[in-house]
C-alpha cells in the first residue's frame, strides 16, 4: 500500500471523529505487516482525560483483532503542517514498534519519519 493510500484512509476515519470540545478532528490508519488496515478517529469526553486519540484508537483496534506486527501509521488533521502525534501516542507506537510514521494535513502536505526520529530514547520493555 502506498503512503498516499494510507493517508486517504486516515482522512476517511477523520470524518468519524467525535470532537465536540476541541473541534479538532483527527484520523489515523495503521497498516499491518499482513496488509490489513485499521482506522481510528479521536473520541473526546466531557471529562477531558477520558478521551482517546485517533492514533491509539487505530492501534488498539488492530491489536484487539490479534495484530502485533504493525508496519506503518498515517495521521491526518487540519493543521498548518503535517500533524504530529502527541507524546502518549508516540509511546504506544514505540510499544508496538511501528517503524514508519506518516504525518499529513488536509492541504496535501505530508512527511515520513521513523519511530526513532519521532521518539528518541523511548521507554521500552528493555528498560524494565
Amino acid at each position: 500500500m502506498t503512503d498516499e493510500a494510507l493517508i486517504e484512509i486516515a482522512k476517511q476515519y477523520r470524518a468519524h471523529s467525535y470532537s465536540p470540545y476541541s473541534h479538532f478532528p483527527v484520523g489515523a490508519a495503521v497498516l499491518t505487516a499482513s496488509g490489513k488496515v485499521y482506522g481510528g478517529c479521536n473520541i473526546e469526553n466531557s471529562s477531558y482525560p477520558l478521551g482517546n486519540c485517533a492514533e491509539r484508537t487505530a492501534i488498539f483496534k488492530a491489536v484487539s483483532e490479534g495484530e502485533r506486527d504493525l508496519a506503518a501509521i498515517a495521521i491526518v488533521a487540519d493543521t498548518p503542517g503535517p500533524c504530529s502525534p502527541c507524546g502518549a501516542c508516540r509511546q504506544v507506537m514505540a510499544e508496538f514498534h511501528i517503524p514508519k510514521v506518516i504525518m499529513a494535513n488536509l492541504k496535501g502536505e505530508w512527511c515520513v519519519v521513523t519511530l526513532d526520529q519521532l521518539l528518541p530514547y523511548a521507554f521500552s520493555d528493555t528498560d524494565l
Side-chain angles (χ1 to χ4, degrees):
M1 172 171 289
T2 66
D3 295 347
E4 293 90 344
L6 199 59
I7 290 168
E8 287 304 314
I9 294 169
K11 284 181 184 177
Q12 292 171 11
Y13 276 93
R14 180 182 174 274
H16 300 293
S17 170
Y18 179 74
S19 48
Y21 308 105
S22 71
H23 306 287
F24 185 71
V26 181
V30 172
L31 175 65
T32 68
S34 67
K36 292 182 183 176
V37 176
Y38 294 86
C41 61
N42 57 322
I43 303 166
E44 296 180 349
N45 189 291
S46 58
S47 176
Y48 294 160
L50 299 181
N52 202 51
C53 297
E55 300 93 311
R56 285 182 282 144
T57 299
I59 293 166
F60 294 165
K61 283 173 63 177
V63 171
S64 72
E65 294 297 321
E67 298 286 351
R68 296 292 188 274
D69 193 0
L70 309 181
I73 186 166
I75 306 136
V76 178
D78 189 9
T79 49
C83 183
S84 178
C86 75
C89 289
R90 292 174 192 217
Q91 185 60 46
V92 171
M93 289 176 203
E95 179 69 23
F96 293 100
H97 310 287
I98 301 176
K100 183 178 187 180
V101 181
I102 306 160
M103 302 178 294
N105 66 14
L106 297 182
K107 299 177 205 170
E109 299 170 333
W110 57 285
C111 66
V112 178
V113 297
T114 66
L115 185 60
D116 287 340
Q117 290 172 310
L118 192 63
L119 187 61
Y121 310 108
F123 185 83
S124 72
D125 56 349
T126 60
D127 296 309
L128 298 175

